[in-house]
Amino acid sequence: MRTTRPLLPALAALAFLALPAARAASATHALMKQQGCFVCHAVDVKIVGPAYAWVAYRYRGDKTAVLHLADKIIHGGAGVWNPWTGGIPMPPHPTLTLAQAEAMARWVLAQKPVAPPKP
Ligand code: HEC
């Protein structure tokens, strides 16, 4: 079929483009593990901090979310999730660069959003 012919190169190009993005995401995941983010956070359940799926839900469609979350990751803080955390603050991570913190924020926001349960 003539129409399917351009599909293969297009798919190859797509795979080629998707690969570095996937690698960057897994590098970010590795950095998050190394930084201890998963001591207090999991994707699906609250540990000390909110589940990342809840964070993705809260900020869905929010264009300022990457910057807000990157700032929170670097400087720490409390208040947003108090009803779920009892006011425990997120600790600061001052050694991270803004680019690293933004990559982590994007990783969190890319999780499948789940509405948090009533606190
Ligand atoms: C000691 C426990 C702890 C560690 C370690 C920790 N967090 Fe948190 N995190 C929290 C708590 C508690 C909150 C809720 C803060 C609030 O209520 O504003 C939070 C909130 C967040 C939020 C949502 C912020 C908001 O304003 O909605 C993100 C995103 C996040 N953490 C990412 C990370 C990342 C990435 C790391 C690793 C670099 C990390 N956390 C390490 C405890 C932790």
PDB file of all heavy atoms in Angstrom, residues 1-2 5 12 18 22 33 37 39 45-46 59 67 75 86-88 99 104 108 110 113-114:
ATOM      1  N   MET A   1       0.843  -1.206   0.000  1.00  0.00           N
ATOM      2  CA  MET A   1       0.000   0.000   0.000  1.00  0.00           C
ATOM      3  C   MET A   1       0.869   1.245   0.000  1.00  0.00           C
ATOM      4  O   MET A   1       1.805   1.353   0.776  1.00  0.00           O
ATOM      5  CB  MET A   1      -0.882  -0.022   1.256  1.00  0.00           C
ATOM      6  CG  MET A   1      -2.140  -0.824   1.028  1.00  0.00           C
ATOM      7  SD  MET A   1      -3.568  -0.030   1.733  1.00  0.00           S
ATOM      8  CE  MET A   1      -3.157   0.017   3.457  1.00  0.00           C
ATOM      9  N   ARG A   2       0.502   2.159  -0.873  1.00  0.00           N
ATOM     10  CA  ARG A   2       1.328   3.365  -0.973  1.00  0.00           C
ATOM     11  C   ARG A   2       1.276   4.213   0.290  1.00  0.00           C
ATOM     12  O   ARG A   2       2.271   4.786   0.689  1.00  0.00           O
ATOM     13  CB  ARG A   2       0.840   4.202  -2.157  1.00  0.00           C
ATOM     14  CG  ARG A   2       1.465   3.761  -3.462  1.00  0.00           C
ATOM     15  CD  ARG A   2       0.999   4.644  -4.576  1.00  0.00           C
ATOM     16  NE  ARG A   2       1.912   5.758  -4.773  1.00  0.00           N
ATOM     17  CZ  ARG A   2       1.541   6.934  -5.255  1.00  0.00           C
ATOM     18  NH1 ARG A   2       0.293   7.150  -5.565  1.00  0.00           N
ATOM     19  NH2 ARG A   2       2.429   7.879  -5.436  1.00  0.00           N
ATOM     20  N   ARG A   5       3.638   3.479   3.276  1.00  0.00           N
ATOM     21  CA  ARG A   5       5.085   3.541   3.082  1.00  0.00           C
ATOM     22  C   ARG A   5       5.797   4.618   3.913  1.00  0.00           C
ATOM     23  O   ARG A   5       6.843   4.338   4.493  1.00  0.00           O
ATOM     24  CB  ARG A   5       5.394   3.718   1.589  1.00  0.00           C
ATOM     25  CG  ARG A   5       6.599   2.896   1.208  1.00  0.00           C
ATOM     26  CD  ARG A   5       6.847   2.933  -0.260  1.00  0.00           C
ATOM     27  NE  ARG A   5       6.362   1.760  -0.933  1.00  0.00           N
ATOM     28  CZ  ARG A   5       6.100   1.711  -2.226  1.00  0.00           C
ATOM     29  NH1 ARG A   5       6.229   2.780  -2.973  1.00  0.00           N
ATOM     30  NH2 ARG A   5       5.705   0.593  -2.773  1.00  0.00           N
ATOM     31  N   ALA A  12      10.428   5.442  12.797  1.00  0.00           N
ATOM     32  CA  ALA A  12      11.846   5.401  13.163  1.00  0.00           C
ATOM     33  C   ALA A  12      12.274   6.758  13.720  1.00  0.00           C
ATOM     34  O   ALA A  12      12.971   6.830  14.733  1.00  0.00           O
ATOM     35  CB  ALA A  12      12.686   5.032  11.944  1.00  0.00           C
ATOM     36  N   ALA A  18      12.076   9.986  20.755  1.00  0.00           N
ATOM     37  CA  ALA A  18      11.556   9.617  22.074  1.00  0.00           C
ATOM     38  C   ALA A  18      12.661   9.073  22.979  1.00  0.00           C
ATOM     39  O   ALA A  18      12.605   9.213  24.185  1.00  0.00           O
ATOM     40  CB  ALA A  18      10.444   8.584  21.928  1.00  0.00           C
ATOM     41  N   ALA A  22      13.210   9.656  27.039  1.00  0.00           N
ATOM     42  CA  ALA A  22      13.051   8.569  27.996  1.00  0.00           C
ATOM     43  C   ALA A  22      14.306   8.446  28.850  1.00  0.00           C
ATOM     44  O   ALA A  22      14.234   8.217  30.056  1.00  0.00           O
ATOM     45  CB  ALA A  22      12.766   7.270  27.262  1.00  0.00           C
ATOM     46  N   LYS A  33      16.108   9.251  43.309  1.00  0.00           N
ATOM     47  CA  LYS A  33      16.387   8.143  44.236  1.00  0.00           C
ATOM     48  C   LYS A  33      17.627   8.466  45.062  1.00  0.00           C
ATOM     49  O   LYS A  33      17.655   8.285  46.278  1.00  0.00           O
ATOM     50  CB  LYS A  33      16.623   6.839  43.462  1.00  0.00           C
ATOM     51  CG  LYS A  33      15.329   6.147  43.077  1.00  0.00           C
ATOM     52  CD  LYS A  33      15.578   4.673  42.827  1.00  0.00           C
ATOM     53  CE  LYS A  33      15.201   4.337  41.424  1.00  0.00           C
ATOM     54  NZ  LYS A  33      15.571   3.052  40.943  1.00  0.00           N
ATOM     55  N   CYS A  37      14.377  11.424  47.647  1.00  0.00           N
ATOM     56  CA  CYS A  37      12.981  11.862  47.475  1.00  0.00           C
ATOM     57  C   CYS A  37      11.995  10.739  47.793  1.00  0.00           C
ATOM     58  O   CYS A  37      10.918  10.989  48.327  1.00  0.00           O
ATOM     59  CB  CYS A  37      12.737  12.335  46.045  1.00  0.00           C
ATOM     60  SG  CYS A  37      13.953  13.525  45.438  1.00  0.00           S
ATOM     61  N   VAL A  39      12.272   8.452  49.952  1.00  0.00           N
ATOM     62  CA  VAL A  39      12.154   8.126  51.383  1.00  0.00           C
ATOM     63  C   VAL A  39      10.828   8.698  51.902  1.00  0.00           C
ATOM     64  O   VAL A  39      10.143   8.078  52.707  1.00  0.00           O
ATOM     65  CB  VAL A  39      13.358   8.710  52.166  1.00  0.00           C
ATOM     66  CG1 VAL A  39      13.173   8.502  53.654  1.00  0.00           C
ATOM     67  CG2 VAL A  39      14.655   8.087  51.690  1.00  0.00           C
ATOM     68  N   VAL A  45       1.050   6.449  46.928  1.00  0.00           N
ATOM     69  CA  VAL A  45       0.572   6.584  48.306  1.00  0.00           C
ATOM     70  C   VAL A  45       1.356   7.666  49.031  1.00  0.00           C
ATOM     71  O   VAL A  45       2.499   7.952  48.684  1.00  0.00           O
ATOM     72  CB  VAL A  45       0.717   5.258  49.110  1.00  0.00           C
ATOM     73  CG1 VAL A  45      -0.204   4.197  48.564  1.00  0.00           C
ATOM     74  CG2 VAL A  45       2.158   4.777  49.117  1.00  0.00           C
ATOM     75  N   LYS A  46       0.721   8.246  50.058  1.00  0.00           N
ATOM     76  CA  LYS A  46       1.413   9.206  50.897  1.00  0.00           C
ATOM     77  C   LYS A  46       2.387   8.452  51.799  1.00  0.00           C
ATOM     78  O   LYS A  46       2.032   7.415  52.365  1.00  0.00           O
ATOM     79  CB  LYS A  46       0.390   9.941  51.769  1.00  0.00           C
ATOM     80  CG  LYS A  46       0.984  11.071  52.580  1.00  0.00           C
ATOM     81  CD  LYS A  46       0.144  11.397  53.799  1.00  0.00           C
ATOM     82  CE  LYS A  46       0.994  11.196  55.033  1.00  0.00           C
ATOM     83  NZ  LYS A  46       0.306  11.510  56.283  1.00  0.00           N
ATOM     84  N   TYR A  59      -1.873  20.084  40.271  1.00  0.00           N
ATOM     85  CA  TYR A  59      -1.316  21.106  39.388  1.00  0.00           C
ATOM     86  C   TYR A  59      -1.619  20.846  37.915  1.00  0.00           C
ATOM     87  O   TYR A  59      -1.009  21.470  37.052  1.00  0.00           O
ATOM     88  CB  TYR A  59       0.195  21.226  39.607  1.00  0.00           C
ATOM     89  CG  TYR A  59       0.543  21.662  41.011  1.00  0.00           C
ATOM     90  CD1 TYR A  59       0.916  20.731  41.982  1.00  0.00           C
ATOM     91  CD2 TYR A  59       0.470  23.006  41.381  1.00  0.00           C
ATOM     92  CE1 TYR A  59       1.216  21.125  43.277  1.00  0.00           C
ATOM     93  CE2 TYR A  59       0.767  23.410  42.679  1.00  0.00           C
ATOM     94  CZ  TYR A  59       1.142  22.460  43.623  1.00  0.00           C
ATOM     95  OH  TYR A  59       1.435  22.859  44.911  1.00  0.00           O
ATOM     96  N   LEU A  67       7.767  25.765  37.742  1.00  0.00           N
ATOM     97  CA  LEU A  67       8.594  26.724  38.474  1.00  0.00           C
ATOM     98  C   LEU A  67       8.298  26.685  39.977  1.00  0.00           C
ATOM     99  O   LEU A  67       9.219  26.701  40.800  1.00  0.00           O
ATOM    100  CB  LEU A  67       8.366  28.132  37.916  1.00  0.00           C
ATOM    101  CG  LEU A  67       9.615  29.007  37.941  1.00  0.00           C
ATOM    102  CD1 LEU A  67      10.737  28.367  37.133  1.00  0.00           C
ATOM    103  CD2 LEU A  67       9.307  30.395  37.420  1.00  0.00           C
ATOM    104  N   HIS A  75      14.112  24.939  47.851  1.00  0.00           N
ATOM    105  CA  HIS A  75      14.053  25.706  49.103  1.00  0.00           C
ATOM    106  C   HIS A  75      13.235  25.053  50.206  1.00  0.00           C
ATOM    107  O   HIS A  75      13.268  25.512  51.346  1.00  0.00           O
ATOM    108  CB  HIS A  75      13.517  27.119  48.820  1.00  0.00           C
ATOM    109  CG  HIS A  75      14.417  27.902  47.916  1.00  0.00           C
ATOM    110  ND1 HIS A  75      14.089  28.225  46.616  1.00  0.00           N
ATOM    111  CD2 HIS A  75      15.675  28.378  48.101  1.00  0.00           C
ATOM    112  CE1 HIS A  75      15.089  28.884  46.054  1.00  0.00           C
ATOM    113  NE2 HIS A  75      16.068  28.986  46.936  1.00  0.00           N
ATOM    114  N   GLY A  86      -0.069  17.021  58.263  1.00  0.00           N
ATOM    115  CA  GLY A  86      -0.027  17.541  59.626  1.00  0.00           C
ATOM    116  C   GLY A  86       0.969  18.684  59.776  1.00  0.00           C
ATOM    117  O   GLY A  86       1.390  18.996  60.880  1.00  0.00           O
ATOM    118  N   GLY A  87       1.359  19.297  58.644  1.00  0.00           N
ATOM    119  CA  GLY A  87       2.221  20.481  58.698  1.00  0.00           C
ATOM    120  C   GLY A  87       3.703  20.188  58.622  1.00  0.00           C
ATOM    121  O   GLY A  87       4.523  21.084  58.755  1.00  0.00           O
ATOM    122  N   ILE A  88       4.054  18.919  58.395  1.00  0.00           N
ATOM    123  CA  ILE A  88       5.483  18.569  58.236  1.00  0.00           C
ATOM    124  C   ILE A  88       6.009  19.273  56.980  1.00  0.00           C
ATOM    125  O   ILE A  88       5.375  19.225  55.927  1.00  0.00           O
ATOM    126  CB  ILE A  88       5.660  17.042  58.086  1.00  0.00           C
ATOM    127  CG1 ILE A  88       5.206  16.349  59.366  1.00  0.00           C
ATOM    128  CG2 ILE A  88       7.117  16.688  57.761  1.00  0.00           C
ATOM    129  CD1 ILE A  88       5.163  14.843  59.265  1.00  0.00           C
ATOM    130  N   ALA A  99      17.820  23.567  36.875  1.00  0.00           N
ATOM    131  CA  ALA A  99      17.499  22.628  35.784  1.00  0.00           C
ATOM    132  C   ALA A  99      17.178  21.244  36.341  1.00  0.00           C
ATOM    133  O   ALA A  99      16.227  20.585  35.885  1.00  0.00           O
ATOM    134  CB  ALA A  99      18.656  22.566  34.798  1.00  0.00           C
ATOM    135  N   MET A 104      12.895  17.335  37.885  1.00  0.00           N
ATOM    136  CA  MET A 104      12.169  16.553  38.892  1.00  0.00           C
ATOM    137  C   MET A 104      10.693  16.967  38.930  1.00  0.00           C
ATOM    138  O   MET A 104       9.805  16.116  39.012  1.00  0.00           O
ATOM    139  CB  MET A 104      12.796  16.763  40.273  1.00  0.00           C
ATOM    140  CG  MET A 104      14.157  16.116  40.425  1.00  0.00           C
ATOM    141  SD  MET A 104      14.819  16.453  42.066  1.00  0.00           S
ATOM    142  CE  MET A 104      16.372  15.568  41.968  1.00  0.00           C
ATOM    143  N   VAL A 108       7.484  14.566  38.220  1.00  0.00           N
ATOM    144  CA  VAL A 108       6.341  14.415  39.136  1.00  0.00           C
ATOM    145  C   VAL A 108       5.036  14.712  38.389  1.00  0.00           C
ATOM    146  O   VAL A 108       4.065  13.961  38.477  1.00  0.00           O
ATOM    147  CB  VAL A 108       6.501  15.348  40.358  1.00  0.00           C
ATOM    148  CG1 VAL A 108       5.226  15.386  41.180  1.00  0.00           C
ATOM    149  CG2 VAL A 108       7.685  14.905  41.223  1.00  0.00           C
ATOM    150  N   ALA A 110       4.390  14.448  35.360  1.00  0.00           N
ATOM    151  CA  ALA A 110       4.106  13.482  34.293  1.00  0.00           C
ATOM    152  C   ALA A 110       3.473  12.199  34.828  1.00  0.00           C
ATOM    153  O   ALA A 110       3.092  11.324  34.048  1.00  0.00           O
ATOM    154  CB  ALA A 110       5.394  13.156  33.536  1.00  0.00           C
ATOM    155  N   PRO A 113      -2.366  11.492  37.056  1.00  0.00           N
ATOM    156  CA  PRO A 113      -2.977  12.234  38.160  1.00  0.00           C
ATOM    157  C   PRO A 113      -4.034  11.419  38.910  1.00  0.00           C
ATOM    158  O   PRO A 113      -4.845  10.733  38.290  1.00  0.00           O
ATOM    159  CB  PRO A 113      -3.645  13.427  37.466  1.00  0.00           C
ATOM    160  CG  PRO A 113      -3.243  13.385  36.042  1.00  0.00           C
ATOM    161  CD  PRO A 113      -2.690  12.048  35.748  1.00  0.00           C
ATOM    162  N   VAL A 114      -3.997  11.493  40.226  1.00  0.00           N
ATOM    163  CA  VAL A 114      -5.013  10.850  41.066  1.00  0.00           C
ATOM    164  C   VAL A 114      -5.458  11.877  42.112  1.00  0.00           C
ATOM    165  O   VAL A 114      -4.616  12.493  42.771  1.00  0.00           O
ATOM    166  CB  VAL A 114      -4.442   9.601  41.776  1.00  0.00           C
ATOM    167  CG1 VAL A 114      -5.455   9.020  42.760  1.00  0.00           C
ATOM    168  CG2 VAL A 114      -4.008   8.549  40.770  1.00  0.00           C
TER     169      VAL A 114
END
